[in-house]
Amino acid sequence: MNGTALVALSCCVAALMAVAGAYLARVVMPRPPVGVYAPADIAVLCVGVVVAPLFYAGLPGAWVSALFGLVFCLAVQFTLAPLCSGRWAWCLALAATGATAGAAVWSTAAWVRVGTDVLLAVAVVGVANLWAQSGMRSSHVAALAGALTCYDLVATTLTDVTGNFFEQVRGRPFAPLLALTGGAHPVAVGLGDLLLLVLFPLVAAKAYGRGAALLAGAVGVVVTSAVSALFAVGALTEGFPLLTALGPLIVVQHLVWSRRAGGERTTAEWRAGAVAPAPRPGALGPDARLTAAVGLTVSGRQAAAGGPGASGGPVAPEAPAEGSWVVLRDGRVVGTGASPGLARRDARERGEDGKNREDGKNGKNGKDGGTGAGGLVARLL
């Protein structure tokens, strides 16, 4: 492969990361009405990535190009809209899409590549920023990278799914490839790989700070450059699933930073300029109020029974054993048992149910009033 083009590909990836970082720092994108990202959203995204090539395989190549052209046009529009008016964003997006389609009609392959690369690069910057600014967390990206690593290995190495898809779109306008050369073996990086290369540094910057973002960007460029070097020396000759190398490194970075920082900044904290989370403190130890309440078990129940050794009075029971359940109410242990139900029954038998009903009539105890023994049920470990 062309060594100069391989070096240029790594430079393009680094430049795209820098542009996306500058966009994140200076542009606030409108938040879509998608709520909060959840693991189910990442699962749906993974399913879409797996199913899409199978769906495209049943379509003519021209239809696939038209679908990607529509997606790129919309992505370019919402990427440019915060930088200029919505009308100008539409004009620019439609003009770029139309020029790329026109180059395909006139069979000018070089200009088709240029137009497609520009549209894809702008779309990746916009989509990555949209996901990062709308609440996608480092844990979500790590989960996505881990799942797609397995899929990329199967689809590219063990089956012909990826190869067949790229044969279907190679040389066509709006192909999901950042391609610097043409031919049967182009110097290119796929849309999915490029999106994760750009996305994780943005999410790391939001979650953990600038240091994490710089490290994530450096790791991405190093991985891209290492794979390019293997192609340059002839160690690799066919398409290589980049995520098989990048995905595990994203997961490791997430685990290291989350353990070191003790958590992620939320989008609101990041926008407010909050510093990166402080290192996780040591173990907090037992809750002081719970310890004090359990410590009162013997003395409280001794007092209720008349005290140990009192003339004619029974000896109070011992403190609850480890593994038993206790009902805590108003700083007192009011019942014990081998299970939560038995602990509540013990509390009711000691008259706590009557007290709860009275509190419920007086407007106390909220929704627990009148339902029997209330309070916190906890297990002694």
Side-chain angles (χ1 to χ4, degrees):
M1 284 189 176
N2 189 323
T4 302
L6 289 169
V7 173
L9 182 64
S10 296
C11 294
C12 287
V13 170
L16 203 55
M17 290 179 179
V19 171
Y23 191 101
L24 178 70
R26 292 174 171 81
V27 179
V28 178
M29 301 189 76
R31 179 181 173 87
V34 295
V36 178
Y37 283 100
D41 300 317
I42 305 303
V44 170
L45 186 58
C46 292
V47 170
V49 172
V50 172
V51 172
L54 304 177
F55 170 72
Y56 295 144
L59 297 178
W63 288 25
V64 176
S65 293
L67 286 175
F68 275 104
L70 177 62
V71 171
F72 286 168
C73 182
L74 294 174
V76 168
Q77 191 279 330
F78 72 67
T79 303
L80 298 179
L83 303 176
C84 56
S85 68
R87 181 178 302 176
W88 277 108
W90 274 117
C91 291
L92 292 172
L94 291 172
T97 305
T100 304
V105 171
W106 291 98
S107 301
T108 52
W111 286 108
V112 169
R113 270 199 315 275
V114 170
T116 300
D117 287 350
V118 170
L119 287 169
L120 183 143
V122 175
V124 165
V125 169
V127 172
N129 270 276
L130 179 66
W131 287 357
Q133 294 190 32
S134 60
M136 183 171 282
R137 301 173 64 85
S138 174
S139 57
H140 298 148
V141 181
L144 180 63
L148 294 185
T149 295
C150 300
Y151 167 74
D152 210 15
L153 181 63
V154 172
T156 303
T157 306
L158 304 180
T159 67
D160 296 328
V161 173
T162 301
N164 292 339
F165 173 67
F166 283 121
E167 281 296 321
Q168 184 183 20
V169 300
R170 183 167 54 87
R172 293 183 177 276
F174 316 117
L177 286 171
L178 183 69
L180 301 188
T181 63
H185 300 286
V187 176
V189 59
L191 173 60
D193 298 333
L194 187 62
L195 186 56
L196 276 178
L197 281 166
V198 174
L199 174 63
F200 186 64
L202 302 184
V203 175
K206 183 190 71 173
Y208 306 118
R210 182 173 180 176
L214 292 175
L215 177 62
V219 168
V221 173
V222 168
V223 169
T224 305
S225 301
V227 174
S228 296
L230 293 175
F231 276 107
V233 300
L236 293 174
T237 57
E238 300 293 335
F240 179 78
L242 185 64
L243 277 180
T244 57
L246 179 65
L249 294 177
I250 290 178
V251 174
V252 169
Q253 289 178 83
H254 162 70
L255 294 176
V256 170
W257 283 109
S258 61
R259 182 177 180 84
R260 178 178 178 181
E264 302 181 35
R265 285 188 299 188
T266 64
T267 303
E269 291 171 340
W270 165 68
R271 290 193 187 281
V275 297
R280 180 183 297 172
L284 297 176
D287 186 280
R289 292 172 298 176
L290 179 60
T291 302
V294 174
L296 292 173
T297 299
V298 175
S299 59
R301 298 181 70 172
Q302 284 176 345
S311 177
V315 177
E318 296 180 355
E322 291 185 1
S324 62
W325 293 80
V326 296
V327 179
L328 303 175
R329 188 174 185 278
D330 297 333
R332 300 176 299 114
V333 176
V334 297
T336 64
S339 67
L342 291 176
R344 288 192 180 277
R345 177 186 296 179
D346 185 48
R348 287 194 298 270
E349 291 175 352
R350 296 177 184 281
E352 289 300 319
D353 55 342
K355 185 171 183 178
N356 274 332
R357 292 191 185 100
E358 183 179 349
D359 288 343
K361 293 176 183 178
N362 294 333
K364 299 178 183 178
N365 245 11
K367 65 182 191 179
D368 212 21
T371 60
L376 171 68
V377 180
R379 190 177 188 184
L380 301 180
L381 301 176

